[in-house]
Amino acid sequence: MKLITHNMLTSKILKNVVTGYPLKIHAVKAELKKADFQPDFIARMIKKIDYKTLYQAAETLGYAEGMPKTEILNEEDMNNEETLKKLHEVLLEIEVIEGDLECPETGRKFPINNGIPNMLVNEEEL
Amino acid sequence: MLSTPDYSHFTTKDYDKIYEPCEDTFLFLDALEKDIQFLNELKPEIVVEIGPGSGLVINFLAKHLKESKKILFMATDINKDACLATQKTSIKNNNDINILNCDLLSPLFDRLQNKIDVLLFNPPYVVTESDELGSKSLPAAWTGGKDGREVMDRVFPMLNNLLSEKGVFYLVALKQNKIEDIELALSNLGFKMEILMNRKAGIENLFILKFDRKINI
Ligand SMILES: C[S@@+](CC[C@H](N)C(=O)[O-])C[C@H]1O[C@@H](n2cnc3c(N)ncnc32)[C@H](O)[C@@H]1O
């Protein structure tokens, strides 16, 4: 699971959960896999994600250093090549291979195995 | 002709657990090939497939869309083995697909609002008893319940929320799924239908349908 995916996941489907976002990451195994850097793609994606959540997630995994410490990125950050490179790394290169995601409201855990989050829930949880 | 992604890593044993690419899969690829220029001109940023199974369809797009390195690809399957299979096919074909094991798009619904540019679904479309639904393994690939519609029907009401302004939805369906009725249901939700392809394969009369918004939002 890449952090760009984590950024889009909620546990709202669970009964009584209001926002279910962001899910807490517990990583047992994470890897850094090089990916082609496409500055314009990163600049476009960054507009679709929640930056605060990305920052927190990167911090949890120990990769926040070098990221602008802010709630929302400004134009200048989005045009800065170094910043975009860093964001490329946290969005697309870090991958949680084993661990789990925790619902912030109920504590329900969703396992991540082989890099794939299991977000399935039982009927009784809906 | 655009090449089919490499899936030589699967053996007959894998097809005890995941949907083996069949006529419907290949018709879907043919239809996407026919529409490839449209898709390139659309300049999608987020492409999502529900139920990738072996992963052929989304890998086909990841392989052949121009600038696919600048597209976010995501796929969700209810069958864990299909998720792993899609992952294998992605690695084999050197594509980057973000995979989730979940029901339809449930954990993505909130955060993907009006963001999906291309949504693909080759659903379980076989007419079965309703009580056969609910599988999280191989039978989930075909059990469609009443009129074969019960799974796809759950996707339709979400489209308006999920698709971007220019977003398109591709769907595989059978004649028994009542194509005109699907057209009407989607029309009431604000989408117009086009039949991209139609082919008879054995007992199946297959359709590849494409939907987009009647008016921009
Ligand atoms: C007909 S197969 C298509 C597989 C592949 N896309 C192809 O064209 O060969 C349907 C796929 O949808 C998946 N599926 C069925 N119900 C689902 C659901 N509720 N959520 C996500 N995936 C589902 C099945 O596990 C299966 O992989």
Side-chain angles (χ1 to χ4, degrees):
Chain A
M1 181 202 67
K2 297 193 172 72
L3 294 191
I4 193 163
T5 302
H6 168 258
N7 209 278
M8 297 178 177
L9 295 178
T10 80
S11 53
K12 197 169 162 183
I13 184 177
L14 295 171
K15 200 166 42 194
N16 298 329
V17 166
V18 184
T19 45
Y21 187 81
L23 300 174
K24 288 183 209 160
I25 302 176
H26 303 283
V28 175
K29 184 177 166 206
E31 281 173 6
L32 202 64
K33 291 185 189 158
K34 282 287 158 213
D36 286 348
F37 174 49
Q38 307 280 355
D40 47 335
F41 175 60
I42 300 300
R44 275 188 274 130
M45 279 303 134
I46 212 78
K47 294 199 180 109
K48 297 185 194 271
I49 62 143
D50 184 82
Y51 184 71
K52 195 174 157 198
T53 297
L54 180 67
Y55 188 92
Q56 280 172 1
E59 200 168 38
T60 309
L61 298 175
Y63 283 94
E65 206 188 308
M67 285 175 79
K69 199 173 177 178
T70 156
E71 301 235 325
I72 302 164
L73 288 182
N74 57 34
E75 277 298 312
E76 201 181 317
D77 292 325
M78 287 193 234
N79 290 321
N80 180 320
E81 175 102 358
E82 279 312 302
T83 305
L84 289 177
K85 266 205 182 117
K86 179 66 197 178
L87 296 175
H88 163 77
E89 179 193 73
V90 292
L91 281 170
L92 302 177
E93 296 194 326
I94 304 169
E95 228 179 301
V96 179
I97 310 292
E98 302 291 329
D100 50 41
L101 296 169
E102 185 186 327
C103 167
E105 293 166 47
T106 63
R108 160 72 150 90
K109 285 188 174 159
F110 300 93
I112 303 171
N113 295 123
N114 301 299
I116 302 171
N118 173 347
M119 303 296 296
L120 294 170
V121 297
N122 301 321
E123 297 265 335
E124 314 83 71
E125 296 178 284
L126 293 171
Chain B
M1 200 179 130
L2 301 178
S3 59
T4 302
D6 186 352
Y7 66 111
S8 60
H9 45 287
F10 296 126
T11 65
T12 46
K13 256 188 95 195
D14 290 296
Y15 301 130
D16 292 340
K17 292 180 170 178
I18 62 156
Y19 189 75
E20 177 171 3
C22 282
E23 272 88 358
D24 51 338
T25 317
F26 295 112
L27 187 66
F28 204 179
L29 297 188
D30 289 349
L32 293 170
E33 171 163 0
K34 179 177 158 188
D35 230 23
I36 201 82
Q37 193 184 344
F38 164 83
L39 284 166
N40 279 324
E41 284 164 7
L42 190 74
K43 293 197 191 313
E45 295 180 1
I46 300 188
V47 174
V48 180
E49 181 177 15
I50 305 173
S54 61
L56 275 202
V57 177
I58 192 147
N59 274 287
F60 181 82
L61 287 185
K63 191 175 167 143
H64 295 298
L65 281 179
K66 248 193 304 182
E67 306 226 70
S68 74
K69 297 287 174 227
K70 297 181 188 179
I71 297 171
L72 180 69
F73 290 95
M74 306 190 90
T76 66
D77 205 295
I78 200 158
N79 177 351
K80 187 187 101 213
D81 292 304
C83 293
L84 291 167
T86 297
Q87 186 180 52
K88 270 200 196 124
T89 303
S90 312
I91 293 169
K92 183 85 175 223
N93 291 278
N94 224 338
N95 294 319
D96 207 342
I97 317 279
N98 296 283
I99 303 157
L100 291 170
N101 187 196
C102 62
D103 176 38
L104 304 181
L105 300 172
S106 54
L108 294 167
F109 185 72
D110 274 44
R111 310 285 319 175
L112 275 184
Q113 299 270 323
N114 296 125
K115 290 200 176 75
I116 301 180
D117 298 310
V118 178
L119 181 65
L120 309 146
F121 194 18
N122 177 3
Y125 51 58
V126 178
V127 179
T128 64
E129 295 297 323
S130 293
D131 61 12
E132 289 179 57
L133 294 168
S135 160
K136 289 174 183 170
S137 54
L138 185 58
W142 62 77
T143 47
K146 186 171 187 298
D147 295 329
R149 285 277 296 278
E150 291 193 49
V151 181
M152 65 175 96
D153 275 358
R154 289 198 292 130
V155 175
F156 302 158
M158 303 193 286
L159 291 174
N160 192 32
N161 282 311
L162 288 170
L163 292 182
S164 68
E165 197 168 329
K166 61 183 181 186
V168 284
F169 174 47
Y170 293 90
L171 178 75
V172 180
L174 285 185
K175 190 166 169 54
Q176 290 97 307
N177 301 146
K178 303 188 172 152
I179 306 297
E180 315 79 62
D181 187 69
I182 295 177
E183 178 171 26
L184 183 65
L186 271 289
S187 176
N188 290 333
L189 292 164
F191 294 88
K192 56 179 186 303
M193 182 180 99
E194 181 189 333
I195 297 176
L196 258 193
M197 281 206 173
N198 174 215
R199 189 183 290 165
K200 286 205 183 87
I203 53 160
E204 293 191 335
N205 189 351
L206 289 160
F207 289 80
I208 310 296
L209 308 174
K210 176 183 175 184
F211 300 89
D212 59 7
R213 292 184 189 279
K214 287 187 203 161
I215 31 164
N216 293 346
I217 48 167

